[in-house]
Amino acid sequence: MTRDLKTLLRSGDTAFGTWSQIASPEMVDLVGLNGFEFTIIDCQHGFFGLETAENLARAADANDIAAAVRLPGNDPIAIMKALDAGIRHVVIPNLETAEQAERAVAATRFGPHGLRGACPCCRSGGHFIRNWPDYVAEEEARVGAIALVETAVGVDNIEAIAATPGLTALMFGPFDLSVSMGLNGDWRHEEVERRVSHMVDTAIGLGVPVMMPVFSPHVEEARSLVTKWKGRGVSTFVIGSDKILVSDAFSRWTSALLGT
């Protein structure tokens, strides 16, 4: 059975994942084989669509790691297609209001509780082979929406967003937040850190799990950030991205060998 993201998030145990921005199942193999427990397939900034994301999710399943997909926007149709493809969680970017969060959650649930279209002839449903009532019960328990809050407006509305029934977790985007604040990508700025800290405290206070991106390409800084956020109650971390990690490995090899 493939690792379940909800179980990871709710366990309170430290868990590490990354972003999959390279359209390669082999890269997802390496993510899993090197000990990461989940990956977020990036259909917002990765240059591929849900057809590719489905195959990356198959690679995640084969390596027993959990997978989510970051969609380009809060589109109910895209959310439903991602879930039908067997990707159990969707990350919704630029989420700024409770109403937007409610819309995302509704798209993950079958009627009468939500908007998700009911089709047994899809990958997640076993292509009409599985028992439908059992499948629906399993989907209701394991799929969900993760709100990515990454703008100043989202920070202002964080209490209402975090209180949205049915959200699996909250994620925060320090880089985008810095841009929305006019700080031009300075995600280390003290005001960015203050606002992210406020969002973390709000989520933890309401019992909502937090997924914290750790952007730094420097291992020691990343370790320091993980330690800091663990002290604030965060247990799930999205480390770099496949591009950042591969680039770091390349640069270390070239730096070591070019002088020989």
Side-chain angles (χ1 to χ4, degrees), residues 16-68:
F16 294 103
T18 190
W19 297 94
S20 288
Q21 295 182 315
I22 299 173
S24 167
E26 288 90 346
M27 188 62 65
V28 177
D29 290 341
L30 292 173
V31 169
L33 290 169
N34 279 286
F36 287 104
E37 295 172 275
F38 67 90
T39 193
I40 302 175
I41 300 165
D42 193 352
C43 283
Q44 182 185 22
H45 296 301
F47 290 93
F48 51 80
L50 285 174
E51 294 87 351
T52 296
E54 180 183 16
N55 284 327
L56 299 186
R58 285 190 172 100
D61 289 349
N63 287 279
D64 189 30
I65 62 174

Side-chain angles (χ1 to χ4, degrees), residues 71-158:
L71 296 171
N74 192 7
D75 178 0
I77 294 175
I79 292 171
M80 289 184 267
K81 286 180 71 67
L83 297 178
D84 281 357
I87 307 170
R88 293 173 184 164
H89 273 82
V90 290
V91 176
I92 308 301
N94 300 314
L95 204 147
E96 295 185 319
T97 68
E99 291 75 19
Q100 292 172 358
E102 291 166 1
R103 182 185 184 201
V105 170
T108 69
R109 303 196 65 191
F110 294 112
H113 308 293
L115 306 173
R116 184 177 174 185
C119 177
C121 297
C122 60
R123 179 174 181 251
S124 67
H127 304 292
F128 219 164
I129 295 171
R130 299 191 57 199
N131 175 272
W132 176 259
D134 290 345
Y135 162 66
V136 170
E138 289 178 11
E139 288 290 276
E140 289 286 305
R142 68 187 181 181
V143 307
I146 298 163
L148 176 51
V149 181
E150 50 189 344
T151 68
V153 173
V155 176
D156 291 341
N157 293 321
I158 191 60

